[in-house]
Amino acid sequence: PDRVPLGQLAESVQNEMEDISIPPGVMTYVGGAYEDQQESFRDLGLLLLLGIVLVFIAMASQFESFLEPFIIMFAIPFSFTGVFLALFVTGTTLSLIAGMGAVLLTGIVVKNGIVMVDFINLMRDRGLELYEAIVVSGKSRLRPVLMTAMTTMLGMLPMALSRGEGSEIWKPLGISVVGGLFFSTLVTLVLIPAIYAFLSRHGERNKKQKVFKNMKFLE
C-alpha cells in the first residue's frame, strides 16, 4: 500500500467527519499520533524562535551593532526556502525530523555570514572604500565559506541519499540540511554583500548629511 503522510491522513479523516451528521453535544477531534505531532511542531517552532533570538543577541554583542546581525540573519529565511525546495524535489514530506534540520541551519547559516561581514569590516578599518572592501572580502572569503559549507553538505550527503532499512527516519534531516545550506551559501556570497553595501551606503549618506548641516549652521 502507498504511504500517506500523517497530516494528509488526518485532513482526510476530518473531511469525512464533516459529511457525518453528529448529534448535538458531541465533540469530535483527531488525536493520537497526529495530536502529538502538532504539539511537537509547536515546540519546534518555539525552539526555532528562541534560537534566532539568542543568535541575534550573541551577534549584536559581538559586532556592537544591531544592523550587521540583521544583515547576517537575512540568509536564514533563504535557508528555509532551500529546505522546502529540497523536500519538494525529492518528494519528501515535512516531518519533525526535517524541521529539526531547519532549526539546525540557524546556527550553521549565520557562521558563513559572520565570516563575510567581519572581514568586510576589517578591510574598511584598514582604509579601503566600501565597494573595494566588499570585492576584496568576496575574493578572500570565497574559499573559507565554500569549504565550511561543502564539509557540512558532504557530511550530510550519505544520510540524505541513504536507502537502507530505517533510513526514512533520518533521511529528511540530511535532505533539509543539504538543501538549506546550499541555497543559503549562494545568498551569503551574493545577497549579503549587496545588502551590506546598500545599508552601509545609506547610513554613510545620512552621516554626511548631518555633518553638512552642522557645517552650514556654523556658517
Side-chain angles (χ1 to χ4, degrees):
D2 296 334
R3 294 178 179 177
V4 180
L6 185 59
Q8 182 178 347
L9 179 61
E11 184 179 357
S12 301
V13 171
Q14 289 175 343
N15 292 334
E16 291 293 334
M17 289 172 61
E18 290 178 357
D19 298 333
I20 301 175
S21 58
I22 301 175
V26 177
M27 298 179 60
T28 60
Y29 71 97
V30 180
Y34 176 74
E35 187 178 12
D36 295 338
Q37 183 192 57
Q38 296 304 305
E39 184 178 354
S40 299
F41 272 119
R42 286 192 294 268
D43 294 340
L44 197 63
L46 181 60
L47 178 63
L48 175 62
L49 180 62
L50 182 62
I52 291 175
V53 171
L54 292 177
V55 168
F56 184 85
I57 292 174
M59 287 193 298
S61 62
Q62 176 186 358
F63 287 102
E64 297 181 354
S65 169
F66 289 107
L67 179 62
E68 291 170 356
F70 172 77
I71 296 173
I72 295 171
M73 298 189 71
F74 196 82
I76 292 180
F78 289 92
S79 68
F80 297 153
T81 303
V83 170
F84 292 130
L85 285 177
L87 294 176
F88 176 76
V89 170
T90 57
T92 307
T93 57
L94 179 61
S95 61
L96 184 62
I97 301 299
M100 291 175 58
V103 174
L104 181 66
L105 283 172
T106 57
I108 301 175
V109 166
V110 298
K111 177 181 61 177
N112 293 333
I114 291 174
V115 170
M116 181 68 68
V117 172
D118 188 57
F119 200 81
I120 294 175
N121 291 338
L122 178 62
M123 292 296 100
R124 295 186 70 187
D125 292 340
R126 292 181 178 179
L128 296 182
E129 295 294 332
L130 174 62
Y131 292 111
E132 185 180 1
I134 292 175
V135 172
V136 171
S137 301
K139 292 180 180 179
S140 177
R141 298 294 93 184
L142 176 62
R143 182 183 297 177
V145 169
L146 289 180
M147 286 180 63
T148 54
M150 290 297 295
T151 51
T152 306
M153 287 190 291
L154 291 176
M156 286 290 182
L157 199 59
M159 183 184 296
L161 299 178
S162 60
R163 295 179 178 271
E165 186 175 352
S167 62
E168 65 276 0
I169 299 177
W170 296 106
K171 186 175 181 179
L173 175 64
I175 293 174
S176 61
V177 171
V178 171
L181 191 56
F182 176 79
F183 208 77
S184 63
T185 301
L186 299 179
V187 173
T188 301
L189 295 174
V190 178
L191 199 57
I192 286 183
I195 297 174
Y196 184 98
F198 173 76
L199 294 179
S200 298
R201 181 178 58 183
H202 184 70
E204 290 173 354
R205 184 182 303 166
N206 290 342
K207 290 180 181 179
K208 291 180 180 179
Q209 289 176 353
K210 289 181 179 179
V211 173
F212 182 72
K213 288 181 180 180
N214 292 333
M215 291 178 64
K216 288 187 65 176
F217 175 76
L218 292 174
E219 292 177 358

